[in-house]
Amino acid sequence: MIYSRITGTGSYLPARVMTNQEFAARLDTSDAWIRSRTGIVQRHIAESSQGSSDLALHASVKALEAAGTKPADVDLIIVATSTPDYVFPSTACLLQAKLGVKGCAAFDVQAVCSGFVYGLATADSFIKAGGHKKALVVGAEVFSRILDWNDRGTCVLFGDGAGAVVLSADSKPGVHASILRADGSYADILSVPGNVCGGAIVGTPFLRMDGQAVFKFAVRVLEESARETLAAAKMALEDLDWLIPHQANVRILEATARKLGLPREKLVVTVDHHGNTSAASVPLALDEFVRSGKIRAGHRVLLQGVGGGFTWGSSLVTL
Ligand code: ACO
């Protein structure tokens, strides 16, 4: 039996840090409000010259180094993003060129904040099917480009960044189980309902959100998805060393851990210092905890995404 295993992680945050105080100087908001409602203290903002593929490149190089893998050995590149450089070609193809390689399969997945988990589950299936041996799975976003910077209800929540993993074929799992879900009837509670047509923007190019509806939906499905994925992997909550839910908001993360009955010290929280980076958030958090030595080889980690669509899903992995 062929399995897949994460053999290296990497991440990248743009240099420019934007604090809550910068919003307070411009909008009717405060550091205290943002911290108490979201737990977010700061976020990173990409330079106008940087696209998602540039952020993805930095994170990928680190993940490849950590895995001891040369770009030429990668036979599958999946980039999860809702803020691609172009309508086409895909950000994955642009990343492939920036890595200086050609030939391997490369495509994007679009599942908003669940994108990385969707990408990981897809790469796992490709590897288990036997056709691929080494995948680069990346979440990369420049959400700062799709925010209405005058809407205090949304612009304070998000940031830019990228995270990446190398997923390699192995005789031991690795990825134990992944479960992906979606419900398109909730499209309206979180969307960027715009498009490009005939050289003009049709609709709105800015993120729109019903915050309370998103909050309730996210907590409900993160709990359900954790239980469903643990059952699929034939494991119990006690078998988990770490839970890494999509880093949207500290209150969503803590409510999920509480509903599951998971001890707070097993919950990974990094959203405070980078905000919600959508598809990048899970691999960013994973890489930070791996590099700090908190998540170690042999640890069991539940990775969880939830986001626009609505989409959600979890992957249970042994590092
Ligand atoms: N500063 C000050 N006041 C604000 C701000 C702000 N930045 N944003 C909203 N408010 C105001 C509102 O206008 C409202 O004022 P009003 O009572 O005069 O009308 C008041 O605060 C309360 O607004 P609510 O929306 O009820 O505040 P709530 O406690 O729900 O917090 C928040 C809002 C933080 C958006 C919350 O709903 C939330 O976290 N939702 C989840 C959203 C999320 O994480 N989205 C990320 C994308 S989805 C994903 O990744 C899964």
Side-chain angles (χ1 to χ4, degrees), residues 185-207:
S185 69
Y186 284 88
D188 287 349
I189 65 171
L190 180 61
S191 62
V192 181
N195 208 331
V196 181
C197 182
I201 295 164
V202 178
T204 169
F206 297 125
L207 185 144

Side-chain angles (χ1 to χ4, degrees), residues 15-26:
R16 157 98 167 94
V17 172
M18 184 170 185
T19 62
N20 291 345
Q21 282 83 1
E22 287 184 59
F23 286 106
R26 231 172 28 81

